Amino acid sequence: MGIADKASNKAEDLKGQGKEGAGKATNDPELEGEGKGDQASASVKDAGEKIKDAGKDIKDGFTK
């Protein structure tokens, strides 16, 4: 996974945490839900990047 992808996913996760916290603080369930959704999206993207990295490592193992 590239550094840019990691940074982007982390930024999205942190944005989601901020929205969730703000939603809880202001008693806004919609904003809280958006935050949780942003965090879930970042987690899915991160998992996808890890799978791609694992596939690349396996391919590299066969070509050496």
Side-chain angles (χ1 to χ4, degrees), residues 1-63:
M1 171 174 18
I3 292 173
D5 292 330
K6 286 182 182 179
S8 174
N9 293 341
K10 187 63 177 175
E12 186 173 358
D13 183 55
L14 291 173
K15 180 179 80 168
Q17 288 178 15
K19 281 185 180 179
E20 182 181 2
K24 285 181 180 179
T26 60
N27 199 25
D28 183 347
E30 186 175 329
L31 185 58
E32 186 178 344
E34 279 183 38
K36 288 181 181 181
D38 288 347
Q39 291 176 64
S41 174
S43 293
V44 168
K45 290 177 185 176
D46 194 37
E49 291 295 329
K50 287 180 181 178
I51 290 169
K52 285 196 292 187
D53 286 346
K56 183 179 179 296
D57 290 345
I58 290 170
K59 183 184 109 185
D60 290 346
F62 285 121
T63 58

